[in-house]
Amino acid sequence: MGPPPASPPRARTRARARARRWLPAPAGAAAALLTAGLLLALAQAQVQLLSDSRPRQLAFGVPPTLLASLSPEEPPPPSSPPRPPQPPPFSSAGRYLSRWMLPGRSAAGCARLRGGAPQPPPQDVSDDSGDSEWENSWIYQHTARYPFYCEVNPEWIRDTFNLNGLQAAVPHYETCLRRILDYDVGFEKLPPKRAAELESCCDVLYGLIHSRYILSPEGLDRMRQKYERGDFGSCPRALCRGTRLLPTGIADELRLRPVKTFCPGCRELYHVRVRHAASIDGAYYTRTFPHLFLLKYPHLQPRHEPVKYQPTIFGFDVKYPDLPTADEYAREEAARHAKEKEEQEKRMQQALEEQERKQKTKNDKPHEQNDEEKKEGEMDVEDANGKKDAEKANLDEERKPPDMEK
């Protein structure tokens, strides 16, 4: 074969123009060598920085053939799920470099170019043994049985300052406290009746601790989470628009009234409609909790004013007579009771007078009867005497001689 044909003049012109693109404005030999050395050093540095499990391609003006000759051959990357989008670079150098990078470049390369390697994702080192231990605790099981309760932090219970004054309120205080904190107190070895008695004391002690805990900042925050979840139910009043309820007590003393629910919208109390909470003592929530809760979190209080129901008949408003106030009702009741008592005393007095009159009549009746019998006896005696006189006169007349009669 002979020598290759000479390229036409037009092709040589195109080659010179293509070479000028890779060279700076001064087309001297020294400048060309310097430019080629800089480009080669930059390519090697980038290959060293961006070398990872996948082959990289650069777009800094270096021909792909030169980069392929410098970068080692690597196996194809394994299939992996797509990575989430990363935030754009913040530095000016990173923005400049990211403009020249191809769309397929990974976030790891961007991070290395910005001056640091990406941090590995945090590994989940949580152990399920802690969760299972808490699920077996007395507090967790008790609050699972009564969801109206809040889970009291055991560290808060261990602070003796928070339990000041409860020693005299609950029998077997030390045993019950150790039972609540999951210490071994030998409940399994006790007779069923004794274990049931101590378990009842534990319920009372936890309720008193709960009444103090929900008034603390930590307890208010936990009750806020339960309130936002709607664990206490919603108001049964139709005009309250489903306002969430808060538990409250009517009395702060034990064993007086069960727990009730307070509506922040209409500001009324309602019976608890949940079966498991109907037996909870109201003293475990106190009368203070709902109002302190709304002062602590005013944004949870309903913004609308309570709507009052207006009854109508054929479109006309009906106005019922005003009911008496509590003081007026108390005065009316006192007057009614006084009047009933006075009438009862009057009836009793009349009954006593009637009984005395009957007794007096019964005592006077024998004397009257004796007088009548005496009178009857005297009349009988007079009649007998008169009869005797008449008989005597008749006998005298019969005894007279006839001549005397003439």
Side-chain angles (χ1 to χ4, degrees), residues 38 62 64 71 103 159-160 186 210 229 256 259 273 275 290 302 305 387-388:
L38 289 174
V62 181
S71 59
D159 189 354
T160 57
H210 180 271
R229 289 197 304 263
L256 288 183
V259 63
R273 296 180 293 173
R275 181 177 299 178
E305 292 292 331
K387 289 179 179 180
K388 289 180 179 180

Side-chain angles (χ1 to χ4, degrees), residues 211-230:
S211 65
R212 298 185 178 188
Y213 178 73
I214 60 176
L215 300 181
S216 65
E218 181 181 351
L220 286 171
D221 184 66
R222 292 200 177 187
M223 292 296 283
R224 177 189 59 81
Q225 298 175 11
K226 295 177 68 66
Y227 175 78
E228 291 177 348
R229 289 197 304 263

